[in-house]
Amino acid sequence: MALRVTFVAAAGSSSVLGERFDDDRPLDQAGWSEVQRVAHELLPLAAADLRYCSPAPRARATGDGLGYAPLVQLALRDCDMGRWRGLTLGEAMAREPQTVDAWLADPRATVHGGESMVEFITRVGGWLDTRPVEDGCRIVAVAEPSVIRAALVYALKAPPATYWNLDVRPLSTTTVTGRAGRWSLRLDSVSAQPTRA
């Protein structure tokens, strides 16, 4: 029995450099414009058997804006960043440079008082492994890019450090297929339609 889980990255609400840990800001006008621009491409995913989203305001708004009416899943929340919640990486580095270095070097570190990267990856993977198993079941989940990166590390059984080498762009889709403990990354072909620059 194989499931197909397609993750949709939540629309952005700021520039990449302005992204904050455990960000709970709503979509800004630029984010809404992006959702409207790609809605026709992502709307077919609304036909999924099950539709979920993370509790982050951006993910909920993205899912609703795409017509998914998703069910909120607490296990798909962003990594708990403890006292760094709401800070950018640059702000955390300015306040605690040695602590940030230790956190980046050790995926088991909880120096900020929140979750380690290993705990985060395991939590998201646990959610993936506990989806209802029906052969051919299609699931869509709207989540923050960080959650999707964690899901990919888990699905591919990659070392936790791989997390930092994955680039998940807002409103991109990523699909994994399989079942608990046996996941594969699925890369779909795209139509030959020209894209706007």
Side-chain angles (χ1 to χ4, degrees):
M1 293 194 185
L3 298 174
R4 177 178 172 153
V5 181
T6 300
F7 290 97
V8 176
S13 64
S14 65
S15 71
V16 173
L17 294 177
E19 288 198 10
R20 299 182 177 279
F21 291 128
D22 205 7
D23 195 353
D24 63 357
R25 291 177 294 168
L27 280 182
D28 60 13
Q29 187 56 48
W32 277 113
S33 295
E34 284 297 302
V35 169
Q36 292 170 346
R37 186 179 65 77
V38 301
H40 68 282
E41 296 171 27
L42 298 177
L43 185 60
L45 292 172
D49 301 299
L50 300 168
R51 296 171 306 281
Y52 301 114
C53 70
S54 83
R58 293 190 315 181
R60 290 191 319 246
T62 300
D64 288 341
L66 293 172
Y68 298 169
L71 177 65
V72 171
Q73 299 285 283
L74 291 178
L76 293 179
R77 69 190 179 281
D78 208 344
C79 186
D80 177 358
M81 297 304 292
R83 69 179 173 275
W84 296 346
R85 184 175 192 271
L87 299 178
T88 66
L89 179 59
E91 290 168 347
M93 182 65 86
R95 293 179 187 187
E96 304 177 46
Q98 292 175 329
T99 307
V100 172
D101 286 343
W103 172 70
L104 291 171
D106 181 2
R108 288 181 163 49
T110 57
V111 294
H112 45 57
E115 263 179 315
S116 72
M117 289 305 297
V118 169
E119 290 168 333
F120 175 47
I121 291 165
T122 301
R123 170 171 48 84
V124 173
W127 176 86
L128 188 61
D129 280 348
T130 56
R131 293 308 87 214
V133 178
E134 288 185 32
D135 197 26
C137 183
R138 294 174 304 141
I139 296 171
V140 65
V142 182
E144 297 296 310
S146 58
V147 172
I148 299 169
R149 289 162 52 195
L152 286 172
V153 170
Y154 183 84
L156 297 174
K157 298 179 181 170
T162 306
Y163 175 90
W164 303 113
N165 300 107
L166 299 172
D167 184 17
V168 177
R169 308 304 302 160
L171 295 169
S172 63
T173 61
T174 306
T175 302
V176 294
T177 59
R179 63 182 183 277
R182 295 187 61 182
W183 296 100
S184 298
L185 176 62
R186 179 180 171 139
L187 302 175
D188 291 318
S189 62
V190 294
S191 63
Q193 297 174 355
T195 58
R196 295 182 195 168

